[in-house]
Amino acid sequence: MSLINMAKREINCKIVYYGIGLSGKTTNLHYIHQAVNPKDVGDMVSIDTETERTLYFDLLPLELGKVHGFQIRFQLYTVPGQVLYQQTRISVLKGADCVIFVADSQTSKLQENIESWNELQEQLRRMNKDINDFPLVMQWNKRDLQDILPVSVLEQYLNSYHVPSFEAVAVTGKGVIECLRVGINSTLRRLERI
């Protein structure tokens, strides 16, 4: 849920990048951090481990100007994808205003993607989020690799809610800003209804 600070006239929104280990969540944030005007972003905090690039989260405050006299800030987080970090994923997911699910398009990763997607759905339900009304974006990442699934297969197994989806190559930025833009706009539209 967005945090509204009346004294500062500020609204803080949280977007969480969710998906399996090494699917490209951290790479998305690195690309965004480099692509956005430096005056509009804060420092990015990243904790690397031996087995995965993000142990806890990346934080990227993103200033978006004012809406109804309130300064809007988006904080972008990633979750660790490894199975053993489920509790950390749950903690990072709390308070999310939008989720961008980053799926690894490789054929060998389909089952892991399905398990991660099912876990996300379960956690959103536990947090009383209606997935039909919750800002959610699907990103089919690593589209530049050889042994990848057709988008139609990814849509069939991972996008039963028919939310916006984008093909992406996070290392080059293809599809990254488009996913973020849709996530931000969905979040802002939902804020206007609340």
Side-chain angles (χ1 to χ4, degrees):
M1 184 59 147
S2 301
L3 297 174
I4 301 173
N5 184 327
M6 295 302 281
K8 288 185 174 181
R9 308 261 323 145
E10 187 175 87
I11 299 174
N12 289 292
C13 301
K14 180 179 184 179
I15 295 180
V16 175
Y17 284 73
Y18 202 98
I20 67 171
L22 303 175
S23 63
K25 302 174 301 288
T26 300
T27 306
N28 268 270
L29 263 62
H30 280 291
Y31 181 83
I32 293 164
H33 196 262
Q34 292 171 352
V36 174
N37 187 331
K39 71 178 182 60
D40 291 334
V41 297
D43 293 332
M44 185 163 49
V45 179
S46 179
I47 302 171
D48 297 341
T49 67
E50 290 178 21
T51 54
E52 189 178 65
R53 294 181 67 187
T54 305
L55 174 62
Y56 192 58
F57 63 84
D58 294 322
L59 172 62
L60 175 60
L62 187 62
E63 306 271 346
L64 283 182
K66 295 193 176 194
V67 174
H68 300 297
F70 283 84
Q71 187 74 31
I72 305 292
R73 296 184 69 194
F74 276 84
Q75 295 181 324
L76 311 183
Y77 289 79
T78 65
V79 297
Q82 294 171 302
V83 175
L84 64 117
Y85 294 115
Q86 181 182 24
Q87 286 307 120
T88 304
R89 283 193 298 279
I90 292 168
S91 295
V92 173
L93 193 58
K94 284 184 182 163
D97 297 293
C98 173
V99 172
I100 297 176
F101 185 86
V102 181
D104 186 324
S105 293
Q106 295 178 88
T107 303
S108 63
K109 300 295 184 179
L110 179 60
Q111 189 57 43
E112 282 180 77
N113 283 320
I114 291 170
E115 290 168 11
S116 181
W117 170 239
N118 288 340
E119 178 188 270
L120 173 61
Q121 291 177 87
E122 178 60 28
Q123 293 311 319
L124 290 173
R125 275 192 286 276
R126 286 184 181 178
M127 295 174 190
N128 296 318
K129 306 276 188 197
D130 177 1
I131 297 176
N132 292 302
D133 186 46
F134 184 77
L136 186 59
V137 180
M138 304 302 273
Q139 183 186 94
W140 315 130
N141 195 25
K142 301 189 179 184
R143 299 305 296 169
D144 59 328
L145 299 182
Q146 289 297 316
D147 189 25
I148 59 172
L149 293 164
V151 169
S152 60
V153 172
L154 293 167
E155 290 282 344
Q156 176 187 347
Y157 285 99
L158 300 170
N159 197 4
S160 56
Y161 294 95
H162 307 289
V163 300
S165 63
F166 297 88
E167 293 185 61
V169 180
V171 293
T172 65
K174 178 182 184 258
V176 171
I177 299 299
E178 293 83 352
C179 282
L180 177 61
R181 185 176 295 125
V182 167
I184 287 171
N185 288 336
S186 299
T187 304
L188 292 175
R189 278 195 303 275
R190 189 160 186 263
L191 270 177
E192 289 173 357
R193 293 194 317 256
I194 295 175

